[in-house]
Amino acid sequence: MIRARGIHKSYRLAGARAGELPVLRGVDFDVGAGEFTAVVGRSGSGKSTLLALLGGLDTDYSGELKVAGKELRALSDAELSAYRNATIGFVFQAFHLLDHLSCEDNVALPALFSVQGKESKDVRLGRARELMEMVGISDKCGTRPSTLSGGQKQRLAIARALYHKPQLLICDEPTGNLDSASASAIIALFRKLRDESGVTLTIVTHDPTIAAAADRVIEIRDGVVELGGVNTSAASAAPSGDEEVRP
Amino acid sequence: MSSLGAIVRGNLRNNAIHFALASVGVIVGIAAFAFFLALGAGVRQVVLGKIFPLDQLEVIAKSMTLDVGPVSLGLASDVLDESAAQQLRGVAGVRGVFPKMKLTAPAIGLGGKEIIGNDIRTELIVDGIDPALVEGEVAGAELFRDVPEPSKTPTACADDSACGKDMYCGKPYQGGPGKVCRDYVPVLASPHMLEIYNGSLRRAYNLPRLNPDFLVGVSLEMRVGASMVQAAEKDQLLYDRLKLVGFSDKAVPLGVTMPLSQVARYNVHFGTPEAATRYHSIIVKIEGKDQVAAVAKKIEELGFEVTDGGAEQAGFLISVFVLVFSLLSTIIVGIAAVNIMHVFFMLVYERQREIGIMRAVGARRSDIQRIILGEAASVGLVAGAIGVGLAYGASRVFDYVSARHLPDFPYKPETYFAFSFDLVALALGFAAGFCVLGAWLPARRAARMDPAAVLTGR
Ligand SMILES: Nc1ncnc2c1ncn2[C@@H]1O[C@H](COP(=O)(O)OP(=O)(O)OP(=O)(O)O)[C@@H](O)[C@H]1O
Ligand SMILES: [Mg+2]
């Protein structure tokens, strides 16, 4: 599903510290279809940067990065947008829901940018309700996201990410803003998703429980992948730089 | 991708106050734009439609003069004949050709008692036109027809009742004792005269206001060959009674207009038989107003001259007026567009996260641009509609004030404005266009924004 070889990414800095800030310096890893991978690393190590590359939000990198057989850097804006729309789904730490839309409209947002032609409003809302049911917030139909709890918001965001049945779900610290009870419910949801739909999960996390639930853990340290083995125990899943674990 | 409309509508609702403030300038500018454009169009309609009708041209013979030192010799006669009319008929874009003939002998008119209480005696300017020129155009045009040759053996009479319908009992055509039955000579008058009379003359002389319906049917005695200038008087006079059958802007502005055959009859009497086809000008009706210039050019190429009744100058002045004010309005709208740009830059900045989310779920850069520009166009259309509405309201107030508080003047119109569909469409398009223009750079910035930074941001 994912094949990364020698990925280099640096940010151009402006102002007083003008120059290049290298973040990824030769990242190699592979993720198979249906695999549940946790990406760990210190704050600032480049995890979000890697996810932005994987998600086609940023194509300013060198090296080889193929997702679902496509070299992302080679895609046009329209192709990348179609890729974000249908091949992958995003889940963010800060949920990123649109407060002026209803919960269903948030879930159905990807439909508005679908290249697959237009679906009728009924079809869109039907699919949205189905997904809300699946993530366990069917009682929130018709409300606005601002009325939901943190855990419910993240479920809504996951429902949105699943709208077009993506092959790959990319999550950036999905439990970072949640209390532990909500977090474990979300983790359970991820497990269920992986088991039932076989979606590939790539989750950036500081949360040891997610890392423990993953098939494997990738650690980014000093711009390269440090650890890419199969997760055999919870201990090996924990970030090795244990001084940087976030609350 | 019309589903983007839902997003646009949602955003419009969300940012209604921002947009309302941003569009004040557009509203004012478009209101001014529509107001002045409608005023220009309305005044143009009055000036070109009533004062100088412009779907016709008046053609005269080219006055050719040869200047030899201080002496200038007239080379060509100043009349047109049937062959000239034939030539003009062949010009592309010409719908009809109608000769006009001036009375070449002096004439005086006597009458007016029924109207202003006293008979007046005045030199008459008499023009003859082809009755076909006014056919179906003015009320009473069916009465405006050729008069039969005066009978050589007229019926003597004592009063009108002894004569047929539409006839009167009066002096024989060539004068002499007794009274005989005669045909009226139908005449048309120009509404200009009525306008000038009602608008200004009657005030000076404290006379009643005249209404055209009241004047139709009034008759006037005419003596052809007579003049108040003794020296111009002919040895013999011709007598006729004129009956006003209607008003037409085809009539000579000051004077009376009768069927051409009648004027020809007088001119032959006081001149030669050739006078029957010596026209003084020819009215050329044009197929469309926009062809006037082209037809005028072709006619001039044929060696004729086209008289400029002032329409071109008036049209030019109106155009300048409209241009100046629409330029001013454009500047207002332009400044408003800069304001729109600021607001959109601010909104794009405020909505970075939302734009990032849309990008993350599959919006292309062009979708983002379209959403922002769609919002701008909608704001522009709404602001434009409000602006046009304001302009229309202002025009009604203006017309009302004019009707109630301004004294009559010649050609005082009921409305000074013409709000055409095209004008409204233009104003709306203008408003939307400027808003889209103002939002262009912000939309580009929004489309190019890096979604990763806002979404994965700490
Ligand atoms: N748009 C950007 N411009 C410049 N520098 C950036 C940008 N985004 C990230 N960086 C820098 O790149 C480095 C990696 O950032 P990134 O967000 O990928 O870290 P992270 O591993 O996700 O950290 P965290 O765990 O805190 O989320 C950091 O030093 C950050 O300051
Ligand atoms: Mg991060």
Side-chain angles (χ1 to χ4, degrees), chain B residues 8-209:
Chain B
V8 169
R9 279 194 296 280
N11 287 337
L12 288 175
R13 232 177 293 121
N14 269 344
N15 299 295
I17 291 178
H18 280 313
F19 287 135
L21 289 176
S23 51
V24 168
V26 180
I27 293 173
V28 172
I30 291 298
F33 182 76
F35 184 85
F36 287 116
L37 233 54
L39 181 58
V43 171
R44 185 185 292 269
Q45 256 173 28
V46 174
V47 172
L48 298 188
K50 292 200 187 134
I51 307 182
F52 310 108
L54 205 69
D55 55 347
Q56 63 178 49
L57 289 171
E58 188 161 4
V59 177
I60 54 171
K62 195 157 209 149
S63 46
M64 257 199 277
T65 52
L66 187 65
D67 292 318
V68 188
V71 190
S72 93
L73 299 168
L75 283 187
S77 70
D78 59 350
V79 291
L80 300 158
D81 56 14
E82 198 46 48
S83 76
Q86 208 53 51
Q87 256 183 302
L88 292 172
R89 256 180 216 112
V91 173
V94 169
R95 189 155 57 87
V97 164
F98 305 92
K100 267 177 128 173
M101 189 183 283
K102 285 197 176 85
L103 180 63
T104 52
I108 58 171
L110 288 157
K113 196 166 189 156
E114 315 104 286
I115 316 167
I116 45 178
N118 268 318
D119 268 341
I120 49 163
R121 193 183 162 92
T122 172
E123 290 279 335
L124 272 188
I125 297 169
V126 179
D127 230 16
I129 60 170
D130 185 345
L133 183 62
V134 292
E135 210 172 307
E137 226 178 76
V138 280
E142 68 284 353
L143 296 172
F144 189 72
R145 57 183 176 222
D146 293 340
V147 184
E149 181 91 23
S151 167
K152 293 272 186 306
T153 54
T155 326
C157 61
D159 55 32
D160 290 358
S161 59
C163 303
K165 191 173 165 283
D166 288 339
M167 293 181 92
Y168 69 96
C169 186
K171 272 208 167 84
Y173 180 55
Q174 306 218 6
K179 286 176 150 190
V180 294
C181 288
R182 301 287 316 277
D183 287 295
Y184 281 106
V185 174
V187 294
L188 294 173
S190 166
H192 296 238
M193 280 196 288
L194 202 59
E195 280 294 340
I196 290 166
Y197 171 84
N198 277 337
S200 53
L201 266 187
R202 74 176 174 93
R203 288 166 201 287
Y205 297 100
N206 220 355
L207 297 170
R209 186 184 173 87

Side-chain angles (χ1 to χ4, degrees), chain B residues 148-330:
Chain B
E149 181 91 23
S151 167
K152 293 272 186 306
T153 54
T155 326
C157 61
D159 55 32
D160 290 358
S161 59
C163 303
K165 191 173 165 283
D166 288 339
M167 293 181 92
Y168 69 96
C169 186
K171 272 208 167 84
Y173 180 55
Q174 306 218 6
K179 286 176 150 190
V180 294
C181 288
R182 301 287 316 277
D183 287 295
Y184 281 106
V185 174
V187 294
L188 294 173
S190 166
H192 296 238
M193 280 196 288
L194 202 59
E195 280 294 340
I196 290 166
Y197 171 84
N198 277 337
S200 53
L201 266 187
R202 74 176 174 93
R203 288 166 201 287
Y205 297 100
N206 220 355
L207 297 170
R209 186 184 173 87
L210 294 181
N211 132 348
D213 298 336
F214 170 72
L215 287 176
V216 167
V218 160
S219 70
L220 184 75
E221 194 184 322
M222 178 174 68
R223 292 178 190 167
V224 187
S227 172
M228 314 222 277
V229 184
Q230 213 67 50
E233 186 115 6
K234 304 276 181 191
D235 305 338
Q236 207 218 334
L237 306 184
L238 296 177
Y239 297 86
D240 260 315
R241 196 159 251 289
L242 312 181
K243 189 178 202 170
L244 183 65
V245 295
F247 287 88
S248 166
D249 51 21
K250 304 289 188 319
V252 61
L254 272 176
V256 294
T257 300
M258 55 181 65
L260 186 125
S261 59
Q262 188 67 21
V263 176
R265 188 168 290 147
Y266 300 138
N267 285 352
V268 169
H269 183 90
F270 289 104
T272 58
E274 290 83 70
T277 55
R278 296 174 83 187
Y279 308 131
H280 294 91
S281 68
I282 294 179
I283 299 288
V284 172
K285 280 206 183 181
I286 317 281
E287 275 162 10
K289 286 198 180 199
D290 41 341
Q291 279 167 283
V292 172
V295 172
K297 190 159 170 283
K298 277 185 225 152
I299 290 175
E300 277 168 357
E301 279 164 10
L302 285 176
F304 300 105
E305 206 163 290
V306 175
T307 62
D308 180 356
E312 265 176 50
Q313 276 151 296
F316 178 71
L317 284 179
I318 296 169
S319 300
V320 168
F321 163 86
V322 170
L323 200 72
V324 167
F325 282 99
S326 44
L327 214 68
L328 276 177
S329 327
T330 308

Side-chain angles (χ1 to χ4, degrees), chain A residues 48 52 57-58 77-78 81-82 84-85 90 92 94 96-100 109-110 112-114 118 124 160 172, chain B residues 1-4 7 11 14 353-354 357-367 371 450-452 454-456:
Chain A
S48 296
L57 288 175
D58 185 354
D77 179 58
S81 300
R84 288 195 300 269
N85 184 246
F90 272 115
F92 304 100
H96 290 321
L97 300 164
L98 296 180
D99 285 329
H100 62 275
L109 193 63
L112 301 187
F113 303 102
S114 172
K118 217 183 138 185
R124 293 202 303 262
R160 179 180 65 194
D172 195 356
Chain B
M1 290 314 272
S2 64
S3 45
L4 295 188
I7 297 183
N11 287 337
N14 269 344
R353 191 184 70 99
E354 179 187 327
I357 293 168
M358 291 194 283
R359 295 272 284 142
V361 299
R364 290 172 291 188
R365 291 186 202 278
S366 58
D367 290 332
I371 289 171
D450 173 14
V454 268
L455 296 176
T456 65

Side-chain angles (χ1 to χ4, degrees), chain A residues 105-116:
Chain A
D105 283 338
N106 265 282
V107 174
L109 193 63
L112 301 187
F113 303 102
S114 172
V115 287
Q116 245 73 274

